[in-house]
Amino acid sequence: MTEQKSSTQQNHPSIRYDTMGWKLFLIYDIFMMVIIIINLFCIVANAFLLSNFAAWLFDFIHLSQILSYYKEHLVPWVNLTESWFIIFLIVELGIRWFIAIIQKHHARWFFFPFVHWYEVLAIIPYLRFLRLIRAGVIAFRLQELGYIVIPPKLIKRFNFYYHLVMEELSDRVVITVLDGVKKELDTSSTHKQIIHDLVDHHRDMFAQTLADILQETLATELKAQQQVIADSVGDVVVKAIEDTPELTQLLKLIPIAGGMIESRLHAIGHRLGENVTIGLMQPFVTGSVQKPNSSYQLIAEKLSQLNINNQSLEQLVESVVYESLESMRKQVAVKQWQLELKKNDQLKE
């Protein structure tokens, strides 16, 4: 608990926790939480003892005279105590409101009752259950300060069931929405237009993404393989020269120098193939991911402007949309609370 207090003090360095004012504030918070719980307990007990079930139960255990004594002598005191407590809450709320105005706790003086709406409504007898919220707020504040008001196991279990309920509710909503979208696409005659609008809306994003991908992958790979490709093209040119019988026959007619010319011609052809290949590839290896070169930008823009009024393309887009919806539905259907429960069970084992 001391470590928790230290961490809390580090989170709020402007607040001194060793002053008398802070200690009085802490004692007052604990006092309010205790009397609220006692008050609510008395109200619940009083409601139970005045019910028909209590009358039957006390009659069954032959203690009806005790119940009669309670109704005759103690009920007026319970009602009077509740009236005093309501007056106390009104005065206490008024004093805190006055202090909040003096110390400017809120941007406007009239913000206080809206911030503490549950305290204002809890004064009304029929809304007394809202007093539990204030007790819960005080308990949470004490818990943050390191004072264990609620056992950690109980908090952990409460959080588990809270997330369970919220997950089930959110999953139902999301699955209902996804099923509604799928049904709309199945039954509506305008779903093609919806898909077209979806594609049109993302054409610019598609073009930019495609240009980035081409620059990041194709340009990088071409640059890495540039010399290998150039050598291969040079070899192709040399092979083409060798496979040209007319040129070979012509070189043989030249005495002595024919063989040397043929060798030099092979070297020139190989070098020529390399240079042409490097020159052709050069526009596709320049640029960066942040700024793709103009060739890739042009290719991406042309591809993004493809007309999707094509049956095969429409079927492809529809398949992507349907599978995306189904994938989301399967993911939402996974019960995270069940996985957590299994994990906890395995740790216990």
Side-chain angles (χ1 to χ4, degrees):
M1 186 171 69
T2 305
E3 294 178 357
Q4 292 178 349
K5 290 179 184 177
S6 300
S7 62
T8 305
Q9 292 178 11
Q10 292 175 0
N11 294 334
H12 305 278
S14 61
I15 300 176
R16 292 190 58 186
Y17 295 90
D18 56 348
T19 61
M20 182 59 66
W22 171 255
K23 292 177 180 178
L24 290 174
F25 177 75
L26 184 64
I27 294 171
Y28 178 74
D29 259 0
I30 297 173
F31 167 74
M32 285 300 301
M33 183 178 65
V34 171
I35 64 171
I36 287 174
I37 293 174
I38 293 174
N39 172 255
L40 291 175
F41 175 78
C42 292
I43 291 172
V44 172
N46 184 62
F48 169 75
L49 292 172
L50 295 179
S51 65
N52 294 329
F53 176 76
W56 172 83
L57 179 62
F58 275 79
D59 184 61
F60 179 76
I61 59 178
H62 306 290
L63 294 175
S64 55
Q65 65 277 9
I66 296 178
L67 185 61
S68 300
Y69 176 81
Y70 173 80
K71 290 180 179 179
E72 184 177 352
H73 297 91
L74 299 182
V75 169
W77 282 100
V78 173
N79 295 333
L80 182 61
T81 303
E82 173 63 14
S83 301
W84 290 346
F85 190 70
I86 290 175
I87 294 173
F88 168 75
L89 289 178
I90 295 173
V91 174
E92 187 260 353
L93 190 65
I95 293 173
R96 287 172 52 221
W97 190 356
F98 180 73
I99 294 173
I101 294 173
I102 297 293
Q103 297 184 356
K104 297 182 178 179
H105 291 170
H106 308 288
R108 295 290 184 272
W109 66 271
F110 53 85
F111 280 8
F112 183 86
F114 294 100
V115 175
H116 301 272
W117 58 270
Y118 52 89
E119 297 182 40
V120 176
L121 294 178
I123 295 173
I124 303 172
Y126 291 104
L127 298 176
R128 287 175 293 202
F129 65 90
L130 291 176
R131 296 172 192 172
L132 274 175
I133 298 180
R134 184 175 180 185
V137 170
I138 295 173
F140 179 75
R141 188 158 58 231
L142 293 174
Q143 197 83 19
E144 278 192 326
L145 292 172
Y147 297 95
I148 301 178
V149 180
I150 306 172
K153 289 185 177 180
L154 188 61
I155 295 177
K156 185 178 180 180
R157 185 162 294 276
F158 172 79
N159 287 333
F160 172 77
Y161 286 110
Y162 170 77
H163 288 101
L164 185 155
V165 172
M166 296 305 297
E167 182 181 354
E168 289 294 332
L169 290 175
S170 60
D171 287 355
R172 285 294 94 202
V173 172
V174 173
I175 289 175
T176 301
V177 171
L178 292 177
D179 289 343
V181 173
K182 188 174 182 300
K183 184 178 180 181
E184 182 69 19
L185 292 176
D186 289 336
T187 59
S188 175
S189 59
T190 61
H191 72 281
K192 289 186 178 180
Q193 184 60 41
I194 295 174
I195 294 175
H196 283 214
D197 292 341
L198 184 65
V199 173
D200 291 337
H201 180 70
H202 291 86
R203 285 186 187 275
D204 293 339
M205 186 182 296
F206 174 74
Q208 183 61 41
T209 304
L210 182 58
D212 293 344
I213 292 174
L214 290 174
Q215 184 67 54
E216 186 177 5
T217 56
L218 184 58
T220 303
E221 191 62 28
L222 284 176
K223 192 172 184 179
Q225 300 295 326
Q226 188 175 20
Q227 191 58 48
V228 176
I229 297 173
D231 289 340
S232 299
V233 174
D235 293 339
V236 171
V237 174
V238 172
K239 187 72 166 75
I241 293 173
E242 292 176 349
D243 291 343
T244 306
E246 294 83 0
L247 181 61
T248 304
Q249 292 174 2
L250 181 62
L251 291 174
K252 286 181 179 180
L253 296 176
I254 303 175
I256 302 172
M260 185 178 64
I261 294 174
E262 183 178 4
S263 176
R264 294 298 299 167
L265 187 61
H266 286 175
I268 292 171
H270 192 279
R271 188 62 178 169
L272 181 64
E274 288 183 357
N275 292 337
V276 170
T277 302
I278 291 174
L280 292 174
M281 292 174 60
Q282 191 61 31
F284 297 97
V285 297
T286 57
S288 63
V289 177
Q290 291 75 20
K291 190 177 180 181
N293 66 62
S294 57
S295 299
Y296 291 139
Q297 288 181 344
L298 180 61
I299 293 171
E301 288 176 4
K302 293 299 181 182
L303 287 175
S304 67
Q305 297 302 321
L306 282 175
N307 185 3
I308 63 173
N309 289 317
N310 177 284
Q311 186 176 1
S312 299
L313 194 56
E314 285 181 351
Q315 289 177 351
L316 173 62
V317 175
E318 286 182 7
S319 176
V320 171
V321 172
Y322 279 108
E323 288 189 15
S324 299
L325 292 174
E326 186 61 27
S327 297
M328 285 188 288
R329 195 181 190 284
K330 288 180 180 179
Q331 181 61 36
V332 172
V334 175
K335 306 297 183 184
Q336 296 296 331
W337 63 268
Q338 289 182 349
L339 299 178
E340 185 177 350
L341 197 62
K342 289 180 181 178
K343 183 179 178 180
N344 292 335
D345 292 340
Q346 290 174 355
L347 291 175
K348 290 179 181 178
E349 294 175 357

